[in-house]
Amino acid sequence: MRIGYGRVSTRDQHPEAQHDALTVAGCEQIFIDKASGKLASRPELSKALLVANRPKDQLVVTKIDRLGRSLEHLIELSNALRDRGVDLVVLDQGIDTSTAVGRMFFQILGAIAEFERTRDGLAAARARGRTGGQKPKLGPARSNLPGRFTTNSTNTASAATPSTRSPPSSASPAPLSTGTSTRRPP
């Protein structure tokens, strides 16, 4: 039996397109959540997983990111389905975990989907003026202290001061051997 699952994450998104695609794919039952993909507990996904419990059943989604946001959760869910003999089908990416190639592509596309969400989130944050990343260890007042290697022309002289080592002595080296051998090299 084919069981369809869809998810929309905001009130502005409409589930009709996913519902239609799952219907065309031959899903006998369709479950749709209106919740963030970050949430591990989604009531309609739980219902879909209860229905898809026999070997040769298929859980069908339109896109891999509708199933979950983190690669860890996607792999955990895929493994749980595999243990029950249930296959996962992702329509847009052409993935069917009943094949070895489908299982491999599922894992690769899950990683790519997670990367794209991160990149989109960072771009949205930058557009709002947030840069993200680790905060600098030194504030602007301390970052140009003398002795630091910087491109500032006032500090480069202190960074390039000559060393105070004494030059090697010019005395002749000591003999290597003090033995009593009388044999000399030819």
Side-chain angles (χ1 to χ4, degrees):
M1 175 164 61
R2 288 189 124 191
I3 296 95
Y5 174 72
R7 180 183 60 80
V8 291
S9 56
T10 65
R11 295 182 194 272
D12 297 339
Q13 292 179 337
H14 301 287
E16 289 84 14
Q18 290 181 54
H19 191 280
D20 293 345
L22 294 170
T23 302
V24 169
C27 295
E28 297 173 32
Q29 291 183 327
I30 298 174
F31 301 90
I32 304 226
D33 269 321
K34 291 186 178 181
S36 171
K38 290 187 287 190
L39 302 175
S41 174
R42 291 174 275 166
E44 295 299 309
L45 177 60
S46 297
K47 290 177 188 176
L49 293 174
L50 284 174
V51 172
N53 61 2
R54 294 182 307 265
K56 302 298 180 191
D57 279 352
Q58 292 182 327
L59 180 64
V60 182
V61 295
T62 57
K63 294 168 98 175
I64 201 166
D65 64 347
R66 300 296 89 197
L67 197 53
R69 284 192 170 219
S70 76
L71 179 60
E72 180 182 352
H73 182 253
L74 289 170
I75 290 173
E76 178 183 313
L77 185 58
S78 175
N79 289 338
L81 290 170
R82 186 189 67 225
D83 291 345
R84 292 190 284 179
V86 176
D87 296 319
L88 178 64
V89 177
V90 183
L91 298 175
D92 287 358
Q93 285 90 11
I95 297 171
D96 182 352
T97 61
S98 65
T99 67
V101 172
R103 287 188 295 275
M104 179 190 70
F105 278 124
F106 174 74
Q107 292 181 356
I108 291 170
L109 288 175
I112 291 169
E114 187 174 350
F115 172 75
E116 286 176 350
R117 273 192 308 279
T118 300
R119 187 185 61 190
D120 292 345
L122 289 172
R126 272 189 235 100
R128 290 188 299 266
R130 295 185 355 221
T131 57
Q134 187 174 4
K135 295 187 180 190
K137 299 286 186 206
L138 296 176
R142 295 191 63 198
S143 62
N144 287 329
L145 291 174
R148 299 258 180 235
F149 292 100
T150 64
T151 58
N152 186 347
S153 62
T154 59
N155 288 340
T156 55
S158 66
T161 56
S163 70
T164 57
R165 278 198 211 165
S166 59
S169 67
S170 61
S172 61
L176 296 177
S177 172
T178 57
T180 58
S181 173
T182 58
R183 185 171 180 198
R184 292 190 173 185

